Amino acid sequence: MAKRIVILGGGTGGTLTANRLRRSFFEEDAEVIVVDQNDDHVYQPGLLFVPFGLARADELVRPRHDQLHKGIRFHQVPIDRVDIKEDQVFLADGTVLGYDVLIVASGSRLEADETEGLTGPGWRENVFTFYDLAGAAALHDALEAFDGGKVVVNVVDLPIKCPVAPLEFCFLADWYFGQRGIRDKVDLSYVTPLDGAFTKPVASRRLAGLLEEKGVSLITEFNTGEVDGAGGRLISYDEREILFDLAVIVPLHSGATYVSNSPGLGDELGFVAVDEHTLQAVAKENIFAIGDAAGVPTSKAGSVTHFEGEVLVENVRRFLAGEPLDATYDGHANCFIETGFGKALLIDFNYDTEPLPGHFPTSVGLPLLKESRLNHLGKLMFQSLYWHSLLPGRDLPGMGSAMPRRGKVTSGVR
Amino acid sequence: MPTAIYAGVNVTVNDEGFFEIPDEWTEAMAPEIARAEGIDGLTEPHWQVIKFMRAEYAEKGTGPTVRILGKTSGVSIKELYQLFPKGPAKEAAKIAGIPKPRGCI
């Protein structure tokens, strides 16, 4: 009898996993089912460009079911909860789906309401986020109407999707206001709960240097407790205040609601604890998680999800065959950081190796941790690769799952 | 590795003063570490947080973030900042004798 593999979430992780699984198994051996509450697949890396008029919100969305290959069933319905003891998923329409293997790929959710005042007076007037489509589009209108004043970009707390995106927003804002000839009328600051511009030391120093070069003030160890839109103030828990005319906030993130409603499945924030090398859930051996939904100590990013996909699919095969799992996912992440003026930086790292300078993937490749036009073109090209190579579950040219060590300068870097 | 003396005992700490070996910590040391942090007199709510930090560390291998403390310790984030003004996650971790919380990436 065919085994049933149920994938919760039809975003980056769910789609590429479903397509890879479909290729790995004959239909008579495994049934692949994807469940998602809606049919809108958003190209999330594009959200950053919408506020600056460099992308249009409607161009970033395609139907989820169109990205799934033949032989994959797509259910469009909200997920209520999972019973991990009985191996069953309860859907909002009353359907109960039994499974042999469950893959949690439902990403993360913005929790703007968890921060006092954030969605109160001023929300979408002088307080915005670009982390969803509607917010990015609303911010575009607000930026067009903005003619000077204090702009703050604030990350409330980690984890967040794409931890470099708020920095990229600052770099692009510097470029954007310059293009409009009002850069001297805009006071830009980046406000973070971290003790530096980024989590990892070498990249943190380089990125802090870039902020300084572009005239963006860096305010660290600021834990936002309240956003007062009417008064134009960010207020920290230790009662510091930062004034703004326009605030761009990255809200708190959690896992999908159904994860928190499923006893034993998620952690305090609704992410699924997994073995960081096999992606098998700590909760039960027939559950796996991929992408933003997984609680692993690396960035929540599309590249991570892509690299995880290869290991995950192999492990689902091994699990069903009763073989020992492959523990080779190394935390590999690879991110283009748009810096404005048609340039970008590239960082490449894993659990053990922080982002370092050098070249990727070998010594003749793209420059790492250094602004270049080539990296910007790489970032632009990625949108097409996303729909045509990454989601179909193909390996990208010259890029394996494991982080390449060749090309990186590993000693004497400060 | 630097050391510090609390309650008359030599312990290993990192250069920011966080314990490297949580087993070297005893309850008797907490008031002294707290005083060095500017907290005079540990109250019952302080102890509630300190015990919670140690239990979380024992279970998960890292101290909780402020957000998780607020969700799960039974003390609200505002109260946590009143108890540990320099930042609850770090300051309470130091007083509870566990390594600096890794935080998130």
Side-chain angles (χ1 to χ4, degrees):
Chain A
M1 214 178 102
K3 300 286 185 188
R4 183 185 277 172
I5 303 168
V6 173
I7 302 172
L8 301 180
T12 311
T15 303
L16 67 86
T17 300
N19 289 334
R20 278 178 183 265
L21 283 169
R22 192 61 294 161
R23 274 205 305 278
S24 299
F25 290 95
F26 292 114
E27 288 190 37
E28 57 266 33
D29 292 334
E31 187 186 2
V32 180
I33 302 176
V34 176
V35 185
D36 202 299
Q37 59 188 342
N38 63 46
D39 197 23
D40 297 329
H41 188 129
V42 179
Y43 176 65
Q44 296 190 69
L47 293 172
L48 168 70
F49 296 103
V50 172
F52 304 106
L54 299 170
R56 268 186 22 220
D58 57 349
E59 292 168 348
L60 303 178
V61 190
R62 296 188 184 184
R64 294 189 195 277
H65 73 266
D66 278 354
Q67 318 310 318
L68 297 169
H69 292 173
K70 202 168 145 281
I72 297 167
R73 257 168 70 199
F74 179 64
H75 264 292
Q76 190 191 321
V77 58
I79 301 153
D80 188 33
R81 69 194 159 87
V82 180
D83 183 336
I84 68 171
K85 286 203 182 86
E86 299 295 325
D87 302 332
Q88 288 176 329
V89 183
F90 291 78
L91 304 176
D93 62 3
T95 310
V96 181
L97 268 181
Y99 59 81
D100 295 289
V101 172
L102 181 75
I103 297 166
V104 179
S106 36
S108 56
R109 191 165 52 89
L110 304 180
E111 293 257 45
D113 288 333
E114 202 178 315
T115 300
E116 192 178 331
L118 178 50
T119 53
W123 179 237
R124 302 238 164 114
E125 289 166 23
N126 62 341
V127 178
F128 295 87
T129 185
F130 66 93
Y131 265 56
D132 58 24
L133 270 179
L139 181 53
H140 175 233
D141 296 341
L143 283 181
E144 284 205 317
F146 194 75
D147 53 14
K150 287 175 76 70
V151 176
V152 300
V153 178
N154 174 226
V155 175
V156 178
D157 202 358
L158 300 179
I160 60 167
K161 291 184 268 197
C162 191
V164 295
L167 287 162
E168 296 180 275
F169 188 93
C170 292
F171 300 145
L172 284 172
D174 166 65
W175 165 82
Y176 170 85
F177 291 124
Q179 293 290 104
R180 285 189 42 202
I182 57 166
R183 181 62 184 92
D184 58 336
K185 297 195 181 102
V186 180
D187 177 357
L188 264 173
S189 28
Y190 181 63
V191 181
T192 169
L194 298 173
D195 58 8
F198 195 56
T199 47
K200 314 267 185 141
V202 173
S204 186
R205 281 191 291 274
R206 300 261 168 142
L207 291 165
L210 266 180
L211 286 173
E212 199 182 335
E213 252 173 57
K214 293 174 186 293
V216 182
S217 324
L218 172 63
I219 300 164
T220 58
E221 295 185 88
F222 189 93
N223 288 284
T224 305
E226 186 186 342
V227 179
D228 171 16
R233 295 181 305 161
L234 296 183
I235 306 155
S236 69
Y237 281 113
D238 57 1
E239 289 163 5
R240 284 187 282 161
E241 281 191 15
I242 295 171
L243 299 178
F244 64 79
D245 297 298
L246 182 74
V248 179
I249 311 277
V250 182
L252 295 169
H253 285 39
S254 292
T257 310
Y258 78 84
V259 174
S260 302
N261 294 338
S262 306
L265 183 59
D267 64 15
E268 301 89 343
L269 300 180
F271 297 111
V272 176
V274 293
D275 179 286
E276 63 187 51
H277 299 295
T278 66
L279 305 171
Q280 184 180 45
V282 174
K284 204 168 169 188
E285 59 177 8
N286 63 342
I287 301 176
F288 294 81
I290 183 169
D292 297 354
V296 287
T298 188
S299 292
K300 295 197 180 299
S303 63
V304 166
T305 309
H306 166 73
F307 297 131
E308 286 172 342
E310 201 178 313
V311 176
L312 176 80
V313 168
E314 171 62 10
N315 278 337
V316 170
R317 189 197 65 74
R318 290 188 184 198
F319 170 75
L320 287 173
E323 297 168 14
L325 300 189
D326 168 28
T328 56
Y329 180 61
D330 63 355
H332 188 193
N334 178 287
C335 315
F336 288 106
I337 305 175
E338 193 68 16
T339 54
F341 302 93
K343 289 185 178 174
L345 219 75
L346 178 65
I347 58 175
D348 190 67
F349 56 104
N350 68 12
Y351 292 137
D352 305 318
T353 307
E354 64 171 312
L356 294 171
H359 291 83
F360 174 86
T362 65
S363 56
V364 291
L366 297 170
L368 288 166
L369 261 181
K370 204 174 140 198
E371 279 185 285
S372 91
R373 172 122 190 107
L374 215 55
N375 286 334
H376 168 69
L377 295 174
K379 180 145 184 147
L380 293 187
M381 198 174 73
F382 187 72
Q383 181 158 357
S384 165
L385 278 177
Y386 179 83
W387 297 109
H388 301 295
S389 293
L390 192 130
L391 291 184
R394 298 199 184 98
D395 296 335
L396 300 182
M399 264 208 225
S401 165
M403 185 198 78
R405 219 156 271 284
R406 281 185 304 161
K408 288 193 172 66
V409 179
T410 52
S411 59
V413 181
R414 290 196 59 81
Chain B
M1 199 58 83
T3 56
I5 298 172
Y6 296 118
V9 181
N10 229 332
V11 296
T12 314
V13 293
N14 77 354
D15 45 15
E16 291 176 84
F18 287 89
F19 275 56
E20 289 283 315
I21 306 163
D23 284 347
E24 291 183 346
W25 181 90
T26 59
E27 288 195 9
M29 296 175 182
E32 270 184 47
I33 311 169
R35 213 167 302 130
E37 287 287 301
I39 299 170
D40 282 319
L42 291 176
T43 61
E44 193 43 47
H46 282 111
W47 278 108
Q48 186 186 336
V49 177
I50 290 166
K51 286 175 181 162
F52 183 82
M53 298 293 289
R54 288 197 65 88
E56 281 278 302
Y57 180 81
E59 195 191 325
K60 296 177 182 149
T62 181
T65 63
V66 179
R67 185 177 172 210
I68 290 174
L69 267 177
K71 276 183 186 284
T72 53
S73 69
V75 182
S76 76
I77 297 183
K78 277 201 170 149
E79 290 170 82
L80 284 164
Y81 270 93
Q82 283 157 10
L83 295 168
F84 303 98
K86 288 186 197 163
K90 283 188 195 169
E91 207 170 19
K94 197 180 270 186
I95 298 169
I98 62 171
K100 185 178 175 180
R102 280 203 297 269
C104 303
I105 296 150

